[in-house]
């Protein structure tokens, strides 16, 4: 069965420092991987995806993610964090079992960027 | 701007009431989903639908039902609301499997339901 794990409940970063939010996955076949962000009392917003090709994927708001097949990881990164990046981040993997296009989400990681 | 619209942002209902949460998408997507989100538990799939009048149970369907009479609308029904159904409910839609590269889901803004 497909699954994703986000090992950190919370990540704390100082503004201006680089940030990493970790995600590992377990899939059969080629993975389709996604990152979403959720601001308080809002729905989830798409950040970026990996389907195939370059292992470094660039997304919205200056975020990028690195796909590493050997480590089965898809960590979210940003070179310089902003206070406004503080939010809840979800990693997800596409699951096509049963012929349905579904996403399986990790538990989420809360990112807190301090001034 | 394409989107998924949930009819209520905040809702307060009494125990035992029948509750309807509505979701409408304008992207002509085949798939629609209802999740609930609780702290520490992430997103849990309640039900999804891959076509009009079709539905499939997700991971936590107990106490819920759904209706999809039109392609653009997917309703979540709490037959008899209970306090343990107090949660954030998120609706999403997506293309059908096999329709090319997918951007995953498009989410609504969520409905925060409180059952008292």
């Amino acid at each position: 069965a497909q699954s994703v794990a986000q090992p950190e409940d919370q990540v704390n970063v100082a503004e201006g420092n680089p940030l990493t939010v970790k995600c590992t996955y377990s899939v059969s076949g080629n993975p389709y991987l996604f990152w979403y962000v959720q601001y308080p009392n809002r729905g989830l917003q798409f950040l970026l995806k990996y389907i195939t090709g370059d292992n470094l994927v660039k997304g919205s708001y200056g975020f990028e993610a690195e796909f590493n097949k050997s480590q089965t990881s898809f960590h979210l990164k940003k070179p310089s964090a902003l206070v406004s990046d503080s939010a809840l981040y979800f990693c997800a993997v596409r699951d096509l079992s049963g012929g349905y296009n579904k996403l399986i989400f990790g538990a989420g990681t809360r990112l807190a960027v301090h001034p | 701007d394409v989107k998924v619209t949930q009819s209520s942002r905040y809702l307060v209902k009494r125990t035992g009431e029948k509750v309807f949460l509505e979701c409408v998408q304008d992207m002509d997507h085949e798939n629609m989903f209802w999740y609930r989100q609780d702290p520490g538990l992430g997103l849990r799939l309640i039900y999804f639908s891959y076509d009009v009048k079709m539905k499939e149970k997700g991971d936590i369907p107990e106490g819920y039902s759904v209706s999809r009479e039109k392609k653009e609308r997917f309703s979540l029904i709490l037959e008899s609301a209970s306090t343990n159904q107090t949660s954030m409910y998120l609706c999403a839609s997506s293309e059908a499997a096999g329709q090319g590269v997918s951007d995953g889901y498009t989410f609504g803004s969520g409905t925060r339901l409180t059952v008292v």
Side-chain angles (χ1 to χ4, degrees), chain B:
Chain B
D1 189 22
V2 294
K3 58 185 179 183
V4 175
T5 303
Q6 294 184 232
S7 54
S8 303
R9 291 294 305 277
Y10 300 93
L11 213 51
V12 180
K13 295 293 182 180
R14 295 194 179 278
T15 301
E17 276 193 77
K18 190 170 186 177
V19 181
F20 293 85
L21 302 184
E22 305 290 345
C23 176
V24 177
Q25 53 98 359
D26 64 1
M27 293 163 287
D28 201 37
H29 281 170
E30 282 72 17
N31 299 335
M32 297 188 75
F33 306 83
W34 276 106
Y35 287 85
R36 64 176 285 176
Q37 181 183 8
D38 301 287
L41 298 177
L43 275 68
R44 292 181 291 167
L45 182 63
I46 304 171
Y47 268 97
F48 67 100
S49 168
Y50 55 92
D51 202 351
V52 176
K53 296 190 185 295
M54 306 304 288
K55 61 184 179 184
E56 292 286 337
K57 293 180 179 179
D59 300 319
I60 51 164
E62 297 78 18
Y64 303 94
S65 63
V66 290
S67 172
R68 194 168 181 200
E69 296 297 317
K70 294 184 178 181
K71 190 175 185 179
E72 67 270 19
R73 185 180 297 271
F74 192 37
S75 303
L76 179 69
I77 303 156
L78 285 65
E79 298 291 343
S80 177
S82 64
T83 54
N84 63 13
Q85 291 179 311
T86 292
S87 186
M88 175 73 141
Y89 289 87
L90 294 168
C91 176
S93 70
S94 75
E95 298 169 339
Q99 286 195 344
V101 174
S102 170
D103 280 332
Y105 292 179
T106 301
F107 280 88
S109 296
T111 296
R112 186 166 293 281
L113 173 68
T114 302
V115 182
V116 298

